[in-house]
């Protein structure tokens, strides 16, 4: 009699055991699906460390880009992102190896479809004469070959004797023809100094 009662409970125990195994199996499957989905999202971005890229034309080096990290997005944007900062050195096409200017910033994003690169946070342009242009945001339009911004910008000579600010600016890609809005500043003259040219 006792034996037959045990037999009656075995199918119930077996059913419960199968249910528990099936539930845990489904839970594992969901975790696997989530993990695979995350992997697919991660695969849409290539991350390169300690990047150094040389841009050249007709065997002449035109620019050199260095960055601690570069992200290439394989989505509809095709953007390049530099979350940990960037430095680009531009070289003179005539005088080989002569540095024209360098651009550094804590963050940069190249919007591939628009052909626009934006630099943000501690943006500094150092020119060949040692003068500097500082701002928190700067854009470069590759098609129009111009720099521009719409936030305050500071211009300084290498000795710190000339300094002036402006509300915004535009400039050609060589930073020769610079136009500013609402400039204010100072100039400390000396017998040897000349007022550096920062544009109109």
């Amino acid at each position: 009699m006792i034996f037959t009662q045990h037999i009656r409970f075995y199918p119930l125990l077996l059913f419960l055991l199968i249910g528990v195994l099936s539930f845990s199996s489904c839970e594992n499957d969901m975790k696997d699906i989530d993990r695979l989905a995350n992997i697919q999202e991660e695969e849409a971005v290539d991350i390169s460390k300690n990047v150094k890229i040389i841009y050249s034309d007709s065997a002449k080096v035109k620019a050199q880009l260095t960055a601690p990290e570069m992200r290439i997005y394989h989505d509809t944007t095709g953007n390049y992102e530099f979350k940990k900062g960037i430095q680009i050195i531009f070289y003179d096409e005539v005088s080989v190896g002569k540095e024209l200017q360098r651009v550094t910033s804590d963050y940069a994003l190249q919007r591939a479809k628009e052909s626009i690169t934006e630099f943000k946070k501690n943006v500094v342009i150092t020119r060949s004469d040692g003068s500097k242009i500082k701002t928190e945001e700067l854009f470069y339009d590759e098609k129009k070959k111009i720099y521009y911004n719409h936030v305050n910008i500071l211009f300084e000579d290498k000795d710190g004797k000339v300094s002036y600010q402006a509300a915004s600016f535009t400039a050609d890609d060589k930073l020769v023809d610079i136009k500013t809005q609402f400039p204010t500043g100072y100039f400390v003259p000396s017998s040897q100094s000349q007022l550096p040219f920062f544009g109109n």
Side-chain angles (χ1 to χ4, degrees):
M1 192 78 170
I2 296 173
F3 180 75
T4 54
Q5 286 177 347
H6 280 292
I7 290 175
R8 286 177 190 167
F9 286 115
Y10 283 147
L12 180 60
L13 289 172
L14 184 61
F15 178 75
L16 288 173
L17 182 62
I18 290 171
V20 168
L21 289 173
S22 298
F23 179 75
S24 63
S25 175
C26 288
E27 188 176 337
N28 288 339
D29 288 345
M30 290 305 293
K31 287 179 181 176
D32 288 340
I33 289 169
D34 289 341
R35 183 177 59 81
L36 288 172
N38 288 334
I39 287 172
Q40 287 174 355
E41 286 177 11
E42 290 172 7
E43 286 176 350
V45 181
D46 284 339
I47 302 174
S48 302
K49 303 287 185 181
N50 301 317
V51 177
K52 183 176 182 180
I53 300 171
I54 307 290
Y55 297 94
S56 62
D57 184 19
S58 303
K60 292 181 180 178
V61 176
K62 298 180 74 174
Q64 176 182 287
L65 180 154
T66 55
E69 178 186 282
M70 178 176 71
R71 292 170 177 255
I72 305 172
Y73 291 89
H74 299 287
D75 53 12
T76 55
T77 66
N79 289 346
Y80 291 76
E81 188 177 33
F82 304 87
K83 289 186 172 184
K84 297 182 179 180
I86 191 172
Q87 174 181 268
I88 305 175
I89 301 174
F90 296 93
Y91 295 99
D92 192 332
E93 295 177 16
V94 179
S95 302
V96 179
K98 182 185 176 184
E99 186 176 321
L100 286 179
Q101 69 221 18
R102 65 175 60 198
V103 181
T104 60
S105 66
D106 292 346
Y107 174 86
L109 177 69
Q110 184 182 36
R111 303 199 302 257
K113 284 190 172 180
E114 301 169 52
S115 297
I116 290 176
T117 303
E118 57 183 85
F119 303 91
K120 292 186 177 181
K121 298 177 185 176
N122 298 316
V123 184
V124 179
I125 300 174
T126 305
R127 300 169 65 184
S128 59
D129 63 0
S131 61
K132 292 185 178 182
I133 301 171
K134 299 177 181 179
T135 186
E136 286 300 306
E137 186 176 74
L138 177 71
F139 297 92
Y140 178 67
D141 189 320
E142 294 173 35
K143 291 178 181 175
K144 296 179 180 178
K145 295 188 176 181
I146 59 167
Y147 288 101
Y148 64 94
N149 83 340
H150 303 291
V151 299
N152 287 342
I153 190 159
L154 174 68
F155 300 84
E156 293 178 329
D157 76 334
K158 64 178 179 179
D159 301 320
K161 293 181 179 179
V162 177
S163 177
Y164 81 85
Q165 297 183 23
S168 64
F169 95 120
T170 59
D172 65 308
D173 60 342
K174 301 289 190 294
L175 292 169
V176 174
D177 183 20
I178 300 174
K179 295 178 175 66
T180 61
Q181 288 187 326
F182 311 113
T184 59
Y186 67 86
F187 170 54
V188 180
S190 68
S191 59
Q192 299 290 324
S193 65
Q194 291 182 344
L195 185 65
F197 177 72
F198 284 117
N200 302 334

